[in-house]
Amino acid sequence: MIPLHWYLWLGSVVFCIGMAGFLMRRNIIIMFLSIELMLNGVNINLVALSHYMQDLRGQVLTLMVIAVAAAEAAVGLAIVIALFRNRPTVHVDEITEMKG
Amino acid sequence: MEVGYPVLSVIIFVPIVGGALMTLIPRYMEGLLKVVALVITLATFVLSLPLFTHFDKSTHMMQFVERKEWISQFGIQYYVGVDGISVLLILLSAITGILCVLISWNAIREKVKEFYIAILLIEGAMIGVFASLDFFLFYIFWEAMLIPMYLIIGVWGGPRRVYAAIKFFLYTLIGSVLMLVGIIVLYKKAGTFNVLQMHDLHLPYRVQMWLFWAFLAAFAVKVPMWPVHTWLPDAHTEAPTAGSVILAAILIKMGAYGFLRFMLPILPDATKDMIPLLMGLSVVAIIYGAVVCLAQTDLKRLIAYSSVSHMGFVTLGIFALNQQGLEGGILQMINHGIVTGALFLCVGIVYERTHSRQIADYGGLASVMPVYAGFFMLFTLASIGLPGLNGFIGEFLILLGAFKAKTLAAVLAATGIIIGAAYMLWLYQRVFFNEVNEKIRNLEPMEFKEAITLLILAIFVLWIGVYPNTFLSFMHPSVSHLLEQIQRATPEAAVAVNMTTEPQGIIGLLGSSGGL
Amino acid sequence: MEYVLWIPLLPLIAFWVNILLGKGVLRGQAHWPSVLAVGGSMVLAVRVLFDVIHGQTMNQDIYTWILSDNFRVSVGFLIDQLTAVMLIVVTTVSFLVHVYSIGYMHGDKGYPRYFAYLSLFTFSMLMLVMSNNFLQLYFGWEAVGLCSYLLIGYWYEKRSASDAGKKAFIVNRFGDFGFGLGVILIFVTFGSLHYMPVFERAPEFISRTVNIYGLEVNLITLIALLLFCGAVGKSAQLPLHVWLPDAMEGPTPVSALIHAATMVTAGVFMVARCSPIYDLSPTAMAVVAVVGGVTALFAATIALVQNDIKRVIAYSTISQLGYMFLACGVGAYSAGIFHLYTHAYFKALLFLCAGSVMHAMAGELDMQKMGGLKRYMPVTYWTMLVASLSISGIPGLAGFFSKDEILFSAYAAGGVGRVVWVLGTLAALLTAFYSFRLIYLTFHGEFRGTEEQRHHLHESPPVMTVPLILLCIGAVGAGWVGIPEILGGKNHFGEFLSPVLRHPHYEVSHAEEWMTMALSVTVAVVGIVVATVFYIKDTSIPVRLARRFPFIYRVLWNKYYVDEFYNLIVVRPTLFVANSIIEGFTDRKVIEGIVNGLPAFVGWLGAQMRKVQNGVLQHYGMIMATGVFVILALLLVKVLGG
């Protein structure tokens, strides 16, 4: 039996890698992948705790997150494509139209 | 004494509904639009006449009362009525509406439809403000008036119209928001929005004091009292003639009316304690406004500043807190509405021809437009308080009241009359006398419509000057009742002061009955 | 006596007729309504006089003007002896001036306007003198001031005329400031503004004082002095006399009517009307007497050196008004009113003669450019000579009786009276001198004007000379109703007024009375003789004198620099404060600074906050992550700590 805290560590590490990637990379596609990583880090935690606590709500929530992540990826990628049509770049430093 | 229709509701909603229906008229039918607007304002005026003829002058009770449940969860009612304080202001509003339509006939050439709709909405809201006896209803009309006025200045105004409109809007809004807080506090205390019930509230002294500042902010800006007057010159100067007339005749009266209807009867003790401040500000406004006039080079700006001075007289009279002062103050509100409104009309008439408001661009106008010069002279004289014309009656009663209340204030205020003569006569000299300025040699004489508008006001100037009792007689019972309300509150409040020993800030105040 | 209502009403109707129809319909006939109206008033005034002589008086309210709580004031008429005299003075002079104006103003482009103003003035003046309360008095007071303003600035395209009108109005406002406060104080004290209750109750307040910042002031004195402020303004006494000389910018008949005979005497009338109040305050009386006496002398000295024919007469008017106040101040109200009444005729005559001269000289005012006009305009010359003799106080003429009564009363009153008697006698000397200087410079010697002017010289038409002759009769005979007992007459005038105006009885010997009379006649003769020497015998003397005493000459020529002084201490500082301090600094910088500063601050704050939103996604992520971290840390601390 693998102890719970291994899962939690794994989740944390995946999450942190995702966060670091999101903050450091400039390629918008990579940033998307990083966000997926963060979400999956959370998912790992949720599933592990669900099993540990014998509560299915955690797994339900995970399915929910996956669904949201899929939707988000779809919308996000659509935006990226729309952006790319107007400006041939995927580099976020060059996309600062939302500056206040 | 019975009138066959609900007078107040009719005259509030005829212009509002009429304005709404005017949206159905196509915008290219400008002639029709103007005629319809004129008919609506005339109808409103005619329908308001029962207020004048059927008014019972022997009682202070509210008359022509209409009362319907509206939002019963919060005790909000549709509650309107008039007494001797408000009835004349309503009549003045109804007359002003007609004048505004007439004077804009040729002056407004763009967005004609929207302009007349705005005028009609304002007229309805003005009457609503003076007729409301429910604080919530009052607030709605009070704010509703702001929007069309903002548009009138901002859309049809002069070169700096946007600055002036925003300044006007923000200034008044800051005051009104504080008043809204005050209204909510009052609702919490009274459990109703009924103004007459609030009159019998006998609030503790500290509460009164907080509310006093909130209401003062709202009303002082509107009056405008010194030093929150600087929106007025800008708004007046940039507004089209009709806008200036509404501002001068009615809108700034709402502040003084607020003092009379809300501040004095609901917060008598706080107000009484603050009388030195209020009278002081009034005197400063009188002298300051008059002295600033000496430095003006712009016709409309000068008249706007003279309004500051004259409204100083109004507030001085109100805060003298005696019969003569109050009646003088109320009458002076009417007088100022007529005279300053007329002066703005006059300026509008020449502005139409020259497109200049600079005094230096005129001179010798009396030779070019003699009839116009005669009217302007009459209004100038009324403005500087010549006996036999309306301004004198109000100013004299105010000075008499102020003299009784605080002699020094009356003496200082009287110096304002000297300066008043100086700036108005100087203005008249620069515009009408001396050599004829070449730029204005070929101005057209006054049109019939313009002469009629001025004639209507001139008749009132003489009427009030020669026989003011027609108008003063409306006020006697209401004003003495108001004074009773103020006097009556004293002993309980004195106890209340002693009882509220604990420091209790605005938070405690709001929280004391459950918070917001 | 209901018909008295028509006395002011007729001119008012004429005013409206002229305003409404004058320009379009009447045009050159615009004088008809005004002349007829004032003629009607004159007839009625005579009827009033007879009614009053037969003992009928009236004090009746017409309607309640203002009513507010315990403040009630009516429009009403008080007809008594004083009013009757004033009515006669006002309507007769006004009528003659109206008639004269038909000729004088003929062809002027504002003809209907002129007559409308004259009618309005007559109406206002009649309301003033007929009033039975202080507020209606104040109405008339301000309304005559308005007409004065309108008529001074009648030729408004002339800069100096419109300036003068404005100046007259504003200077008067300074006086009315005090007058208005006095009226208010009367109401606050007595609870009424009607003459009768106030005068009846005045003695009750004789020892009442009010505290003005630690200074105990007698209430009655305060009221009297405040009212007197108004009189000082309206009657052009020191220090508010500056407007009257400038008022000569108006048409000359107006100067005769308003600025000599009627309006400017309103102050004297008011003091006389309020004599029950003034009698209670020796202090106020002394002030009135001294102001009157000093003004009489002061104005006379200025008149010595002026060359403008109308201004000489204007300063003479100020001086004569000083006499009237002097009389009131020593308690001889009826003497003051007597002088008001005689002065109205001879001074109006002087002005109308001056107008006649101007008419002939095509508007020339400088006496140095006249001379020798006697030949060309005999009627004007002789009538003006009579008026000058009358004002100088030559026995038998109107001015003699009234001036003599004043000087005698002042002498007899003792105390302050003796001082003002000296002032008045000196002024009488100067009066005779400058009056004859005017006559000699204008009518005697050689003509000094241009050839063109000489060619134009002519006597005025009958419509102007007939009023001159009629006024001349007044200037001669008006005084005969008040011949003093010592000359074997009976002072009918004083006796007639005695029910209204207390008539003082003096404990003075006949010898002293003869002495004062002889002295005043002597100084008059001396003044005339000196003028003859200076301007007929040896015309180089005045020039030599002016060279010898350049300082005095300059001061007098510049009217003691009073105008310049006011300009320096009132006009300029006010404009400076208005332009530079209040408008330039307080309003534009301080208040507008705050008003515009607040939104500017909010805008600045927004600009600062905006920098956070730089559009770089990672920044947002970083901030979010930091936020989450902080929250987690806090939670952790709480969990561990708890």
Side-chain angles (χ1 to χ4, degrees), chain B residues 1 60 145 200 205 241 307 372 374:
Chain B
M1 290 301 283
H60 70 264
M145 176 152 184
D200 303 321
Y205 186 77
T241 305
S307 288
Y372 173 75

Side-chain angles (χ1 to χ4, degrees), chain C residues 299-300 303 311-321 343 347 350 391 431 434-435:
Chain C
R311 287 192 187 229
V312 172
I313 308 177
Y315 279 107
S316 155
T317 306
I318 298 175
S319 171
Q320 297 300 312
L321 290 165
H343 172 259
K347 188 50 67 62
L350 281 173
I391 195 177
T431 306
Y434 67 67
S435 299

Side-chain angles (χ1 to χ4, degrees), chain B residues 243-288:
Chain B
S244 301
V245 171
I246 293 178
L247 272 173
I250 313 294
L251 199 134
I252 62 178
K253 305 300 171 317
M254 285 161 46
Y257 174 75
F259 287 131
L260 290 167
R261 176 70 79 224
F262 306 108
M263 196 135 124
L264 291 178
I266 302 180
L267 316 167
D269 305 304
T271 314
K272 264 189 288 185
D273 277 12
M274 284 295 156
I275 286 298
L277 171 80
L278 295 167
M279 285 184 104
L281 287 180
S282 306
V283 170
V284 171
I286 290 170
I287 296 173
Y288 186 101

Side-chain angles (χ1 to χ4, degrees), chain B residues 347-399:
Chain B
V347 174
I349 287 170
V350 287
Y351 183 77
E352 274 312 295
R353 290 162 171 71
T354 63
H355 296 284
S356 168
R357 296 188 310 253
Q358 292 303 310
I359 296 170
D361 287 346
Y362 295 90
L365 196 53
S367 302
V368 184
M369 299 171 74
V371 180
Y372 173 75
F375 276 115
F376 203 106
M377 173 54 84
L378 179 75
F379 298 124
T380 300
L381 294 171
S383 164
I384 63 181
L386 191 88
L389 304 179
N390 61 353
F392 171 73
I393 311 288
E395 277 178 14
F396 185 79
L397 286 174
I398 288 168
L399 286 179

Side-chain angles (χ1 to χ4, degrees), chain B residues 163 167 170-171 226-231 233-234 288 291-292 294-296 301 305 323-324 327 364 366-367 370 377 381 384-388 392-393 396-397 399-400 403-404 408 410-412 414-415 417-422 425-426 428-429 432-436 462 464-469 472 476, chain C residues 16 23 63-71 73 75 109 135 138-140 142-143 145-146 149-150 153 156-166 169-170 173-175 177 180-181 183-185 187-188 193 213 226 574-575 577-588 591-592 595-596 598-599:
Chain B
Y163 171 75
K167 192 172 183 180
L170 287 182
Y171 242 119
W226 189 84
V228 287
H229 63 276
T230 53
W231 64 270
D234 283 317
Y288 186 101
V291 173
V292 176
L294 290 172
Q296 300 308 316
R301 238 183 137 73
Y305 272 114
Q323 189 98 14
Q324 282 98 25
E327 289 186 4
S367 302
M377 173 54 84
L381 294 171
I384 63 181
L386 191 88
F392 171 73
I393 311 288
F396 185 79
L397 286 174
L399 286 179
L400 187 63
F403 194 91
K404 283 179 172 176
L408 180 65
V411 174
L412 290 176
T415 61
I417 297 181
I418 301 178
I419 313 174
L425 293 181
W426 192 28
Y428 197 85
Q429 183 194 21
F432 289 92
F433 291 163
N434 306 341
E435 297 273 313
V436 179
L462 287 168
I464 301 180
V466 174
Y467 195 70
N469 287 333
L472 285 173
H476 301 316
Chain C
W16 280 112
K23 214 174 159 59
Y63 73 93
T64 302
W65 185 16
I66 308 176
L67 173 70
S68 171
D69 198 25
N70 62 346
F71 178 78
V73 67
V75 170
K109 70 172 185 167
L135 209 63
Y138 190 72
F139 162 75
E142 291 280 308
L146 163 70
Y149 162 78
L150 292 172
Y156 54 80
E157 293 193 5
K158 227 166 83 189
R159 180 64 192 259
S160 54
S162 65
D163 273 344
K166 186 182 63 178
F169 200 101
I170 294 170
R173 269 280 156 120
F174 277 91
F177 167 72
L181 288 177
V183 170
I184 291 176
L185 189 59
F187 176 75
V188 173
L193 281 181
Y213 298 102
L226 283 173
T574 312
L575 286 179
V577 168
N579 282 311
S580 303
I581 298 185
I582 296 217
E583 161 82 3
F585 181 70
T586 320
D587 221 59
R588 286 271 157 88
I591 298 179
E592 282 291 81
V595 168
N596 290 328
L598 268 177

Side-chain angles (χ1 to χ4, degrees), chain C residues 146-266:
Chain C
L146 163 70
C147 298
S148 158
Y149 162 78
L150 292 172
L151 283 164
I152 295 169
Y154 174 72
W155 286 305
Y156 54 80
E157 293 193 5
K158 227 166 83 189
R159 180 64 192 259
S160 54
S162 65
D163 273 344
K166 186 182 63 178
K167 181 174 175 185
F169 200 101
I170 294 170
V171 171
N172 266 300
R173 269 280 156 120
F174 277 91
D176 296 345
F177 167 72
F179 190 71
L181 288 177
V183 170
I184 291 176
L185 189 59
I186 286 173
F187 176 75
V188 173
T189 309
F190 298 100
S192 173
L193 281 181
H194 286 250
Y195 291 148
M196 287 311 145
V198 170
F199 294 158
E200 274 162 23
R201 293 188 56 210
E204 297 169 24
F205 293 87
I206 187 157
S207 54
R208 187 77 66 83
T209 59
V210 284
N211 193 320
I212 305 175
Y213 298 102
L215 196 69
E216 287 290 326
V217 183
N218 183 286
L219 185 60
I220 295 290
T221 303
L222 186 62
I223 291 175
L225 288 179
L226 283 173
L227 292 179
F228 186 59
C229 284
V232 166
K234 189 93 346 192
S235 299
Q237 297 294 290
L238 273 178
L240 297 179
H241 65 283
V242 288
W243 64 271
L244 187 58
D246 286 16
M248 297 304 128
E249 290 288 342
T252 307
V254 168
S255 308
L257 175 62
I258 300 185
H259 304 120
T262 54
M263 182 190 84
V264 288
T265 60

